[in-house]
Amino acid sequence: MRLSFLLLATVAAMPMLAKDILVNTPNTTLLLKAEEGKPLHVSYYGERISSVSQVYDAFSLWEEAYPAFGAGCQEITALDVKHADGNMSTELVYRSDAQQAEANATVYTVTLKDKIYDFEVDVCYRAYNNCDVIETWTVIRNNEKKPIVLQKYASGFMPFRQGDAWVTHQHGSWGAESQITEEPLKAGVFEVHDMNGAKNAVINRPNIMVSLDGKPRENEGRVVGAVLCWSGNFRMTIDTEGKRVHRLVAGINEAHSQYELKKGETFTTPELAFAYSNEGMGGVSRSYHRWARLNNKVHNGQQLRKILLNSWEGVYLNVSQDGMEKMMDGVKSLGGELFVMDDGWFGDKYQRSVDDCALGDWVTDTRKLPKGVPALEKAAASRGLKWGIWIEPEMTNTKSELYEKHPDWIVCHPARTPITGRGGTQLILDMSNPKVQDFVFGVVDNIMKETPNTYYIKWDANFEIHNFGSHYLSADNQSHLYVDYHLGLKKTLERIRAKYPDLVIQCCASGGGRVNYGLMPYFEEFWVSDNTDAQQRLFIQWGTSMFFPSCAMAQHVSASPNHQTGRVIPLKFRFDVAMTGRLGMEMKPSDLNEKETEFARKAVQTYKDIRPIIQQGNLYRILSPYDKTGFCSEMFITDDKSEAVFFAYKFEQYVDLFRPRFHFAGLDPNATYELTELNRQGGADHWEGKRITGTFLMKQGIEIALNGQFASKVIKLKKI
Ligand code: GLA
């Protein structure tokens, strides 16, 4: 049934003289021009058009859709190939095109062929019918007589007409991921790239927005988003040449990654997902959120996420049967639904009491847990809690039985002594090696065999590719490592998903080090950051929400003073900040006093009530913490605009601090909404229980009493 639904008609068109290909989503159009014997051109991307002539009549852009190096020699190219005979030039012209309908999309494939070589490229576009996102990627085929070398193999290209265009991108570090940077696109080259090798989202992320109408605004202006669905090294470049056009090329970073294709082999580049909106950056964010939730770009994106307690900041590596059970009692009494045991539970010859050993030795440390993990799984079940566990399956330590047995499984050239990471001993396993892939699959599979009711796995990755080289890859193919690592990881995750489609898996990499759409189709959620300080989280979460939906954002209330910053923040503020994502806790509940416990219990219940609005609603960011006013606000609203939840925060305190009036967004202007405060502490604000129209709330806004530093309010809006 499902299969027949997916295999809808394939329409293959015959070659023709010239043809317009309209790649449409509900509200956007990408216009391509295909002409016999000529390169494929792109002439428009923007609001949906009803007739092609209006684009051409108004004079459009005219750029090659997938520029290759060597014939025409553009300033910036997407493809650079060394052919079998050593020729470095490529000249791609249109050969044929086809359309294929899928359940939620149409795929347009335009086949280009080199004018003289048996070398072909399918330039593909997937236009969704349930969101305004168009993915592009290429399938590169070597039909030449001998191997060829791909020297650059980007996923796609997009031109923008010059104007007052600005780029917004995400830059960060451990504990301060996804900080938003905005800058005008000036003459020259803008580039964001990452060479970490394994966790390519700590410093830079493969996601940008280009605002075409001046300084980026949240809810106004034309904006194009570009998101690369790749977990490895990437490069996104915008070349601004002359006075006419900005050219964007994005894909796998070709640095140290020349890729050989043997005769008959193909290489499929990762998807590059574009979104266009004339509702500002918020419009583009909402499109990506929808795309992710509805099309499995985040695994099981439409499923509501459970409230959990994770043991890390509560006990760190000091896990014990008794300690875990106490935390289970704590989270249960607060109304939580899931308990996760973090690092520290494993190791036989080497005991994981310090973070310098035992990765790879995935057996219970019976000195800490004499009754084994199954007893903990049962202990959780007996309390009505789901059970989860931490692993770091791609890693090992020099102090581990795994490394002693398989020293050739690590990423490192055989001739070199490896440079180590965390604990002075950590190493990364070589995912290009099929034996390592089997081992990593086995880590999950064995857990599921020993404790079949495991509901959740936290999959961590705390080291990068530090030692370039592979024992497994041949001398000729060492340059495949950066790419084959991630293809191997993806293959392993696909295998895990085929067997365990419902297992909830968190993507963690020293916090948000792997927050990218290359991996999220295999993970329900990601750990936003190891930094749980509520003030810094406002910035990190704001930046992360630019591209990722709240259902995927793991946000935990932790202890005060905070373990990363030492800051003291009231529990209410900590909850109000964590509640804009998938709520959880990262502390010993027994450390809360009676009053706090009472507040936490109510907050957890409140979150359950509003969970569908937060996790499946549409996000409108309103006051940015980056604007340095000391305030931040955002809201979530259901598709039918009948219910919304609004969050306002104040995280600075000065005498005579400017106090904004709070505006709402995304409401039905003609509807009337009743306002109720949630997580309330203290007296009622003047709007409590009042009924106000959508127009008034959006245009005039309301005053909100936020007194002192770390004041916050959560307001529920219900259409009446
Ligand atoms: C990483 C993760 C943390 C925690 C530790 C355990 O730093 O980001 O959340 O799991 O590893 O060692």
Side-chain angles (χ1 to χ4, degrees), residues 358-422:
L359 294 173
D361 303 347
W362 301 109
V363 289
T364 311
D365 179 353
T366 47
R367 288 151 292 197
K368 285 183 183 171
L369 301 169
K371 296 192 229 157
V373 175
L376 287 169
E377 184 201 32
K378 279 201 194 81
S382 72
R383 290 165 172 85
L385 290 171
K386 300 277 186 200
W387 165 252
I389 194 164
W390 179 95
I391 51 171
E392 199 180 349
E394 298 151 75
M395 304 287 160
T396 191
N397 297 104
T398 50
K399 277 163 73 180
S400 73
E401 292 183 68
L402 182 79
Y403 182 62
E404 285 166 357
K405 220 166 134 194
H406 300 289
D408 58 329
W409 278 13
I410 61 158
V411 173
C412 187
H413 193 274
R416 302 266 173 218
T417 305
I419 298 162
T420 48
R422 186 180 185 187

Coordinates of all heavy atoms in Angstrom, one line a residue, residues 358-422:
A358 N 38.3 2.8 28.7 CA 37.1 1.9 28.6 C 36.2 2.1 27.4 O 35.2 1.3 27.2 CB 36.3 1.7 29.9
L359 N 36.3 3.2 26.7 CA 35.4 3.4 25.5 C 35.6 2.2 24.5 O 36.8 1.9 24.2 CB 35.6 4.7 24.8 CG 35.3 6.0 25.6 CD1 35.7 7.2 24.9 CD2 33.8 6.0 25.9
G360 N 34.6 1.6 24.1 CA 34.7 0.4 23.3 C 34.5 -0.9 24.1 O 34.1 -1.9 23.5
D361 N 34.6 -0.8 25.4 CA 34.4 -2.0 26.2 C 33.0 -1.9 26.8 O 32.8 -1.6 28.0 CB 35.4 -2.1 27.4 CG 36.9 -2.1 26.8 OD1 37.0 -2.3 25.6 OD2 37.8 -1.9 27.6
W362 N 32.0 -2.2 26.0 CA 30.6 -1.9 26.4 C 30.0 -3.1 27.2 O 29.1 -3.7 26.8 CB 29.8 -1.6 25.1 CG 30.4 -0.4 24.4 CD1 31.0 -0.4 23.2 CD2 30.4 0.9 24.9 NE1 31.5 0.9 22.9 CE2 31.1 1.7 23.9 CE3 29.8 1.6 26.0 CZ2 31.2 3.1 24.1 CZ3 30.0 2.9 26.2 CH2 30.7 3.7 25.2
V363 N 30.7 -3.4 28.3 CA 30.1 -4.4 29.3 C 30.0 -3.7 30.6 O 30.7 -2.7 30.9 CB 31.1 -5.6 29.4 CG1 31.1 -6.4 28.2 CG2 32.5 -5.1 29.8
T364 N 29.0 -4.1 31.3 CA 28.6 -3.4 32.6 C 29.8 -3.5 33.6 O 30.4 -4.6 33.7 CB 27.4 -4.1 33.3 OG1 26.4 -4.2 32.3 CG2 26.9 -3.3 34.4
D365 N 30.1 -2.4 34.3 CA 31.1 -2.5 35.3 C 30.3 -3.0 36.6 O 29.6 -2.2 37.2 CB 31.6 -1.0 35.6 CG 32.6 -1.0 36.7 OD1 32.8 -2.0 37.4 OD2 33.2 0.1 36.9
T366 N 30.5 -4.3 36.9 CA 29.8 -4.9 37.9 C 30.2 -4.5 39.3 O 29.6 -4.8 40.3 CB 29.8 -6.4 37.8 OG1 31.1 -6.8 37.6 CG2 28.9 -6.9 36.7
R367 N 31.4 -3.8 39.4 CA 31.8 -3.2 40.7 C 30.9 -2.1 41.1 O 30.6 -1.8 42.2 CB 33.2 -2.7 40.6 CG 34.2 -3.9 40.6 CD 35.5 -3.5 39.9 NE 35.3 -3.3 38.4 CZ 36.2 -3.2 37.5 NH1 37.5 -3.4 37.8 NH2 35.9 -3.0 36.2
K368 N 30.4 -1.3 40.0 CA 29.5 -0.2 40.3 C 28.0 -0.7 40.3 O 27.2 -0.2 41.0 CB 29.6 0.9 39.3 CG 30.9 1.7 39.4 CD 30.8 2.8 38.3 CE 32.1 3.6 38.2 NZ 32.1 4.5 37.1
L369 N 27.7 -1.6 39.4 CA 26.4 -2.0 39.2 C 26.3 -3.6 39.3 O 26.2 -4.3 38.3 CB 25.8 -1.6 37.8 CG 25.9 -0.1 37.5 CD1 25.6 0.2 36.1 CD2 24.8 0.6 38.4
P370 N 26.4 -4.1 40.5 CA 26.5 -5.6 40.7 C 25.3 -6.3 40.1 O 25.5 -7.5 39.6 CB 26.6 -5.8 42.2 CG 26.5 -4.4 42.8 CD 26.4 -3.4 41.8
K371 N 24.2 -5.7 40.0 CA 23.0 -6.4 39.5 C 22.9 -6.2 37.9 O 22.0 -6.8 37.3 CB 21.7 -6.0 40.2 CG 21.7 -6.3 41.7 CD 20.3 -6.1 42.2 CE 20.4 -5.2 43.5 NZ 19.2 -4.6 43.8
G372 N 23.8 -5.5 37.4 CA 23.8 -5.3 35.9 C 22.7 -4.3 35.4 O 21.9 -3.8 36.2
V373 N 22.8 -4.0 34.1 CA 21.9 -3.0 33.6 C 20.5 -3.5 33.5 O 19.5 -2.7 33.7 CB 22.4 -2.5 32.2 CG1 21.4 -1.6 31.5 CG2 23.8 -1.8 32.3
P374 N 20.3 -4.8 33.2 CA 18.9 -5.3 33.2 C 18.1 -4.9 34.5 O 16.9 -4.6 34.5 CB 19.0 -6.8 33.0 CG 20.3 -6.9 32.3 CD 21.2 -5.9 32.8
A375 N 18.8 -5.0 35.6 CA 18.1 -4.6 36.9 C 17.7 -3.2 36.9 O 16.6 -2.8 37.5 CB 19.1 -4.9 38.1
L376 N 18.5 -2.3 36.3 CA 18.1 -0.9 36.3 C 16.9 -0.7 35.3 O 16.0 0.1 35.6 CB 19.3 0.0 35.8 CG 20.4 0.1 36.8 CD1 21.6 0.8 36.2 CD2 19.9 1.0 38.0
E377 N 17.0 -1.4 34.2 CA 15.9 -1.3 33.2 C 14.6 -1.7 34.0 O 13.5 -1.1 33.8 CB 16.2 -2.3 32.1 CG 15.1 -2.2 30.9 CD 15.2 -3.5 30.1 OE1 15.5 -4.5 30.6 OE2 14.9 -3.3 28.9
K378 N 14.7 -2.8 34.8 CA 13.5 -3.2 35.5 C 13.1 -2.2 36.6 O 11.9 -1.9 36.8 CB 13.8 -4.6 36.2 CG 13.6 -5.7 35.3 CD 13.4 -7.1 36.0 CE 13.7 -8.2 35.1 NZ 15.1 -8.5 34.9
A379 N 14.1 -1.6 37.2 CA 13.8 -0.7 38.3 C 13.0 0.5 37.7 O 12.1 1.1 38.3 CB 15.1 -0.2 38.9
A380 N 13.4 0.9 36.5 CA 12.7 2.0 35.8 C 11.3 1.6 35.5 O 10.3 2.3 35.8 CB 13.4 2.4 34.5
A381 N 11.1 0.4 34.9 CA 9.8 -0.1 34.5 C 8.9 -0.2 35.8 O 7.7 0.2 35.7 CB 9.9 -1.4 33.8
S382 N 9.5 -0.7 36.9 CA 8.6 -0.8 38.1 C 8.1 0.5 38.6 O 7.1 0.6 39.3 CB 9.4 -1.6 39.2 OG 10.3 -0.7 39.7
R383 N 8.7 1.6 38.2 CA 8.3 2.9 38.6 C 7.4 3.6 37.5 O 7.1 4.7 37.6 CB 9.5 3.8 38.9 CG 10.2 3.5 40.1 CD 11.6 4.1 40.2 NE 12.2 3.9 41.5 CZ 13.0 2.9 41.8 NH1 13.1 1.9 40.9 NH2 13.5 2.8 43.0
G384 N 7.2 2.8 36.4 CA 6.4 3.4 35.3 C 7.2 4.4 34.5 O 6.7 5.3 33.8
L385 N 8.6 4.2 34.5 CA 9.4 5.1 33.8 C 10.0 4.3 32.6 O 10.3 3.1 32.7 CB 10.6 5.6 34.6 CG 10.3 6.6 35.7 CD1 11.6 6.8 36.6 CD2 9.9 7.9 35.2
K386 N 10.3 5.0 31.5 CA 11.0 4.4 30.4 C 12.5 4.5 30.7 O 13.0 5.3 31.5 CB 10.8 5.2 29.1 CG 9.4 5.2 28.7 CD 9.0 4.0 27.9 CE 7.6 4.1 27.4 NZ 7.0 2.8 27.1
W387 N 13.3 3.6 30.1 CA 14.7 3.5 30.4 C 15.6 3.9 29.2 O 15.3 3.5 28.1 CB 15.0 2.0 30.8 CG 16.5 1.6 30.8 CD1 17.1 0.9 29.9 CD2 17.4 2.1 31.8 NE1 18.4 0.7 30.2 CE2 18.7 1.5 31.4 CE3 17.4 2.9 32.9 CZ2 19.8 1.7 32.1 CZ3 18.6 3.1 33.6 CH2 19.8 2.5 33.2
G388 N 16.7 4.6 29.5 CA 17.6 5.0 28.5 C 19.1 4.9 29.0 O 19.4 4.9 30.2
I389 N 20.0 4.8 28.0 CA 21.4 4.6 28.4 C 22.4 5.3 27.4 O 22.0 5.5 26.2 CB 21.7 3.1 28.4 CG1 23.0 2.8 29.1 CG2 21.7 2.5 27.0 CD1 23.2 1.3 29.5
W390 N 23.5 5.7 27.9 CA 24.5 6.5 27.1 C 25.6 5.6 26.5 O 26.0 4.6 27.1 CB 25.2 7.5 28.1 CG 26.3 8.3 27.5 CD1 26.2 9.6 27.1 CD2 27.7 8.0 27.4 NE1 27.4 10.1 26.7 CE2 28.4 9.1 26.9 CE3 28.5 6.9 27.7 CZ2 29.8 9.2 26.6 CZ3 29.9 6.9 27.5 CH2 30.5 8.1 26.9
I391 N 26.0 5.9 25.3 CA 27.1 5.2 24.6 C 27.9 6.2 23.8 O 27.4 7.2 23.4 CB 26.6 4.0 23.7 CG1 25.5 4.5 22.7 CG2 26.1 2.8 24.5 CD1 25.2 3.4 21.7
E392 N 29.1 5.8 23.5 CA 29.9 6.6 22.6 C 30.6 5.6 21.6 O 31.8 5.4 21.6 CB 30.9 7.4 23.4 CG 31.5 8.6 22.6 CD 32.5 9.4 23.4 OE1 32.7 9.2 24.6 OE2 33.2 10.2 22.7
P393 N 29.7 5.0 20.7 CA 30.2 3.8 20.0 C 31.3 4.0 19.0 O 31.9 3.0 18.6 CB 28.9 3.3 19.3 CG 28.0 4.5 19.2 CD 28.3 5.4 20.4
E394 N 31.5 5.2 18.5 CA 32.5 5.4 17.4 C 33.9 5.6 18.1 O 34.9 5.9 17.4 CB 32.2 6.6 16.6 CG 31.0 6.5 15.8 CD 30.4 7.9 15.5 OE1 31.0 8.6 14.7 OE2 29.4 8.3 16.2
M395 N 34.0 5.5 19.4 CA 35.2 5.9 20.1 C 35.9 4.8 20.9 O 35.3 3.8 21.2 CB 34.9 7.1 21.0 CG 34.3 8.2 20.4 SD 35.4 9.2 19.4 CE 34.2 10.1 18.3
T396 N 37.2 5.0 21.1 CA 37.9 4.1 22.0 C 38.9 4.9 22.8 O 39.1 6.1 22.6 CB 38.5 2.9 21.3 OG1 39.0 1.9 22.2 CG2 39.7 3.4 20.4
N397 N 39.6 4.2 23.7 CA 40.7 4.8 24.5 C 42.0 3.9 24.3 O 41.8 2.7 24.1 CB 40.5 4.9 26.0 CG 39.3 5.8 26.3 OD1 38.2 5.3 26.6 ND2 39.5 7.1 26.2
T398 N 43.2 4.5 24.4 CA 44.3 3.6 24.4 C 44.3 2.7 25.6 O 44.7 1.5 25.5 CB 45.6 4.4 24.5 OG1 45.5 5.4 25.5 CG2 45.9 5.2 23.2
K399 N 43.6 3.1 26.7 CA 43.4 2.2 27.8 C 42.0 1.5 27.6 O 41.0 2.0 28.2 CB 43.4 3.0 29.1 CG 44.8 3.2 29.6 CD 44.8 4.4 30.7 CE 44.2 4.0 32.0 NZ 44.2 5.1 33.0
S400 N 42.0 0.5 26.7 CA 40.7 -0.2 26.6 C 41.1 -1.6 26.0 O 42.1 -1.7 25.3 CB 39.8 0.5 25.6 OG 40.2 0.4 24.3
E401 N 40.2 -2.5 26.3 CA 40.4 -3.9 25.7 C 40.2 -3.9 24.2 O 40.9 -4.6 23.5 CB 39.5 -4.9 26.4 CG 39.8 -5.1 27.9 CD 38.9 -6.1 28.5 OE1 39.0 -7.3 28.2 OE2 38.1 -5.7 29.4
L402 N 39.3 -3.0 23.8 CA 39.1 -2.9 22.3 C 40.3 -2.5 21.6 O 40.7 -3.1 20.6 CB 37.9 -1.9 22.0 CG 37.6 -1.9 20.5 CD1 36.7 -3.0 20.1 CD2 36.9 -0.6 20.2
Y403 N 41.0 -1.5 22.1 CA 42.2 -1.0 21.4 C 43.3 -2.0 21.4 O 44.1 -2.2 20.5 CB 42.6 0.4 22.0 CG 43.8 1.0 21.3 CD1 43.7 1.4 19.9 CD2 45.0 1.2 21.9 CE1 44.8 1.9 19.3 CE2 46.1 1.8 21.3 CZ 46.0 2.1 20.0 OH 47.1 2.7 19.3
E404 N 43.4 -2.7 22.6 CA 44.4 -3.7 22.7 C 44.2 -4.8 21.6 O 45.2 -5.3 21.1 CB 44.4 -4.3 24.1 CG 45.0 -3.3 25.1 CD 44.8 -3.7 26.6 OE1 44.1 -4.6 26.9 OE2 45.3 -2.9 27.4
K405 N 43.0 -5.1 21.4 CA 42.7 -6.2 20.4 C 42.7 -5.7 19.0 O 43.1 -6.4 18.1 CB 41.2 -6.6 20.7 CG 41.1 -8.1 20.6 CD 39.8 -8.6 21.2 CE 39.0 -9.5 20.3 NZ 37.7 -9.7 20.7
H406 N 42.3 -4.4 18.7 CA 42.2 -3.9 17.4 C 42.9 -2.6 17.2 O 42.2 -1.6 16.9 CB 40.7 -3.8 16.9 CG 39.9 -5.1 17.0 ND1 40.1 -6.1 16.1 CD2 39.0 -5.5 17.8 CE1 39.3 -7.1 16.4 NE2 38.6 -6.7 17.4
P407 N 44.2 -2.5 17.4 CA 44.8 -1.2 17.2 C 44.7 -0.6 15.8 O 44.8 0.6 15.7 CB 46.3 -1.5 17.6 CG 46.4 -3.0 17.4 CD 45.1 -3.6 17.7
D408 N 44.4 -1.5 14.9 CA 44.2 -1.0 13.5 C 42.8 -0.5 13.2 O 42.5 -0.2 12.0 CB 44.6 -2.1 12.5 CG 43.7 -3.4 12.7 OD1 43.3 -3.6 13.9 OD2 43.5 -4.1 11.8
W409 N 42.0 -0.4 14.2 CA 40.6 0.1 13.9 C 40.5 1.6 14.1 O 39.5 2.2 13.8 CB 39.6 -0.6 14.9 CG 39.2 -2.0 14.4 CD1 39.7 -2.7 13.4 CD2 38.1 -2.7 14.9 NE1 39.0 -3.9 13.2 CE2 38.0 -3.9 14.2 CE3 37.1 -2.5 15.9 CZ2 37.1 -4.9 14.4 CZ3 36.2 -3.5 16.2 CH2 36.2 -4.7 15.4
I410 N 41.5 2.2 14.5 CA 41.4 3.7 14.8 C 41.7 4.5 13.5 O 42.4 4.0 12.6 CB 42.4 4.1 15.9 CG1 43.8 3.8 15.6 CG2 42.0 3.4 17.2 CD1 44.8 4.7 16.4
V411 N 41.3 5.7 13.5 CA 41.6 6.7 12.5 C 43.0 7.2 12.8 O 43.2 7.8 13.8 CB 40.6 7.8 12.4 CG1 41.1 8.9 11.4 CG2 39.2 7.4 12.1
C412 N 43.9 6.8 11.9 CA 45.3 7.2 12.0 C 46.1 6.5 10.9 O 45.8 5.4 10.6 CB 45.9 6.8 13.4 SG 47.6 7.5 13.7
H413 N 47.1 7.2 10.4 CA 47.9 6.5 9.4 C 48.8 5.5 10.1 O 49.3 5.8 11.2 CB 48.8 7.5 8.6 CG 49.4 6.9 7.4 ND1 50.5 6.2 7.4 CD2 48.9 6.8 6.1 CE1 50.8 5.7 6.2 NE2 49.8 6.0 5.4
P414 N 48.9 4.2 9.5 CA 49.7 3.2 10.2 C 51.1 3.6 10.6 O 51.7 3.1 11.5 CB 49.7 2.1 9.2 CG 48.6 2.3 8.2 CD 48.3 3.8 8.3
A415 N 51.6 4.6 9.8 CA 53.0 5.0 10.1 C 53.1 5.9 11.3 O 54.2 6.2 11.7 CB 53.6 5.7 8.8
R416 N 52.0 6.5 11.7 CA 52.1 7.5 12.8 C 51.7 7.0 14.2 O 50.9 6.1 14.3 CB 51.1 8.6 12.5 CG 51.3 9.3 11.1 CD 52.2 10.5 11.3 NE 52.5 11.0 10.0 CZ 53.7 11.6 9.7 NH1 54.6 11.7 10.6 NH2 54.0 12.0 8.5
T417 N 52.2 7.6 15.2 CA 51.7 7.4 16.6 C 50.6 8.4 16.8 O 50.7 9.6 16.6 CB 52.8 7.7 17.6 OG1 54.0 7.0 17.2 CG2 52.4 7.4 19.0
P418 N 49.4 7.9 17.2 CA 48.2 8.8 17.3 C 48.3 9.8 18.3 O 48.8 9.6 19.4 CB 47.1 7.8 17.6 CG 47.7 6.6 18.1 CD 49.0 6.5 17.5
I419 N 47.8 11.0 18.0 CA 47.7 12.1 19.0 C 46.3 11.8 19.6 O 45.3 11.6 18.9 CB 47.7 13.5 18.3 CG1 49.1 13.7 17.6 CG2 47.4 14.6 19.3 CD1 49.1 14.7 16.6
T420 N 46.3 11.9 21.0 CA 45.0 11.5 21.7 C 44.2 12.7 22.1 O 44.7 13.8 22.2 CB 45.4 10.6 22.9 OG1 46.4 11.3 23.6 CG2 45.9 9.2 22.5
G421 N 42.9 12.4 22.4 CA 42.0 13.5 22.9 C 41.7 13.4 24.4 O 42.6 13.3 25.2
R422 N 40.4 13.4 24.7 CA 39.9 13.5 26.1 C 40.6 12.5 27.0 O 40.8 11.3 26.6 CB 38.4 13.2 26.0 CG 37.7 13.4 27.4 CD 36.2 13.1 27.2 NE 35.5 13.3 28.4 CZ 34.2 13.1 28.6 NH1 33.5 12.5 27.6 NH2 33.6 13.3 29.8

